[in-house]
Structures are given as structure tokens and as C-alpha cells.
Amino acid sequence: MTAPDAGRGIGAKARPVIPAQPGPPGDTFRILHVSTGNVCRSPITERLTRHFVADRLGDPAGGGLIVESAGTWGHEGAPMETNAETVLADFGADSSGFTGRELLDEHVIMADLVLTATRDHRAQVVSMGHSAGLRTFTLKEFTRLVKAIDPATLPPLEDGVVERARALVRAAAALRGWLLAPTAEADEVYDPYGAPLPFFRSIGDEIHQALDPVVTALTGVAARA
């Protein structure tokens, strides 16, 4: 989206905060993807994450991973952009039933991992509070950190995807100050809103390349050749 990155949901207190509901230990792990309008980048990332995790695990439920998205200037109730749907179809991912959401406090509170399209989005999520700093990364930043983590140090898949995901976030947070981006732009996924389909597809490829090592680390299963 081309709207300013200061979101209407950022710091908004008109709606009551809904605290995360406690569940059984190891029950679920919630991943929140954040962009601006929640009609292009974050819907693509949300649905590709779901698709790749289910494919690796052979489990449509994703092994307890809950993958969602929202936008700092989210178009509440809006469908995703048609070109975004086409990109998802290119990967065989499901775009049906999607509706846009404005980023609210409860989304951040409930998320175990927040992955943003840009550094500005990350800063906005962290500014909302809720001790979000250690679990909020740009997507490409998280990919870079994940690549540096020895998979042997993570819990085996037999312990469950949720426990593995929690360990992965802790390890990535510990590495953040030691493994910096080579350039400021290296951690950005640029906004394709209003662009033609070829640019959307290039952004889809970027997101795919960033997600692949993340999903491999989460599931312990490499992509099929």
C-alpha cells in the first residue's frame, strides 16, 4: 500500500484489548505477518506459509502452527488484491476466504512470532508494546538469522512443531545483534500495491525465497526437489 506506515491500529485504544487465552502447554504457536494494507504482501506471506508448512508436514492443520496477518493501515474486511490471488495460485496456495484486518493490540499480544514486510512495520509493532521486541522481525531478517542457526540445536520434530518454533524464535533473537543486514534495503519487501502482475510475481518470488529456509527450520523438513 502507498498509505503512510503509521497505522490507525497503532496505539489505538478505542477497542478493548483481548488478552491471549491460555491453553495447554505446547498447544499452538501463532505467527502474525504484518504489512501496510493487508491486501498484498501479508496475505501472500500468510497463505504461502500455511501452504508450505502443510505440504512439508503432510498435515493441513500445520502441526499446531496458526498463521495470520494484519496491516498497520489494514483494510478491515477487504479482499486481497487480485494480483496477489494470482501469485498464490502460481504456487498452488489457497487464497479463498481471506479478509483484511487492521493491526490491533490483541493481534500482537497473541502472536508468538511477528514477521513484517519492512523495518518500519517492525518498528510500529514494537512501539505498540506488549514485550514484542524479542519476537518481532522483518521476514528477511528472520530468514537471515534462521540460516545461521544449527538445526541440530533445535528440538527434534518428534517433540512437536510448536516446541521447535519456540526454540527457533529464542535462537534468532539471541543472534540479532551479531548478524546484521549487509544493507538497509536487505530486510525490505517492497509494496506491489497498484503494480502490474509481473512485479507482484517478483515479490511473490522474494517472499517464497525468504520463507523456504524458515519453513524448513520450523518443520525440520526440506522442500521437495
Side-chain angles (χ1 to χ4, degrees):
M1 292 293 296
T2 54
D5 275 340
R8 292 166 297 183
I10 302 300
K13 303 299 181 185
R15 291 182 58 172
V17 172
I18 302 173
Q21 297 299 309
D27 187 26
T28 59
F29 183 93
R30 195 176 294 264
I31 301 172
L32 176 67
H33 292 292
V34 175
S35 63
T36 304
N38 194 214
V39 291
C40 299
R41 289 168 290 182
S42 50
I44 291 172
T45 315
E46 172 197 318
R47 294 304 177 92
L48 285 184
T49 303
R50 291 187 191 180
H51 177 69
F52 294 146
V53 168
D55 184 62
R56 305 282 181 93
L57 296 177
D59 175 12
L65 299 183
I66 298 171
V67 186
E68 303 173 311
S69 63
T72 56
W73 274 77
H75 291 262
E76 191 75 30
M80 74 173 76
E81 286 288 296
T82 300
N83 283 345
E85 292 181 339
T86 300
V87 167
L88 290 172
D90 290 344
F91 288 102
D94 183 16
S95 63
S96 64
F98 179 86
T99 55
R101 301 194 305 175
E102 184 177 353
L103 181 66
L104 298 171
D105 290 277
E106 56 257 38
H107 303 146
V108 177
I109 291 169
M110 296 177 72
D112 297 290
L113 171 63
V114 183
L115 296 176
T116 69
T118 69
R119 292 169 297 152
D120 281 348
H121 295 133
R122 181 186 180 275
Q124 289 166 51
V125 171
V126 172
S127 76
M128 294 172 74
H130 314 304
S131 304
L134 291 178
R135 52 193 167 91
T136 304
F137 309 79
T138 73
L139 172 62
K140 289 186 175 180
E141 174 192 21
F142 194 65
T143 301
R144 184 174 67 254
L145 297 171
V146 162
K147 285 180 175 179
I149 296 169
D150 182 355
T153 64
L154 299 174
L157 190 56
E158 290 76 15
D159 290 354
V161 176
V162 169
E163 289 308 310
R164 190 177 175 94
R166 288 175 177 158
L168 186 67
V169 173
R170 290 194 297 268
L175 280 175
R176 196 198 313 256
W178 297 92
L179 197 61
L180 302 178
T183 66
E185 291 73 27
D187 284 343
E188 305 286 290
V189 176
Y190 290 107
D191 194 350
Y193 183 72
L197 181 57
F199 187 67
F200 264 84
R201 283 184 162 137
S202 72
I203 294 299
D205 287 339
E206 275 188 48
I207 291 171
H208 172 217
Q209 290 170 22
L211 280 177
D212 182 69
V214 171
V215 174
T216 297
L218 284 170
T219 63
V221 180
R224 299 173 188 176

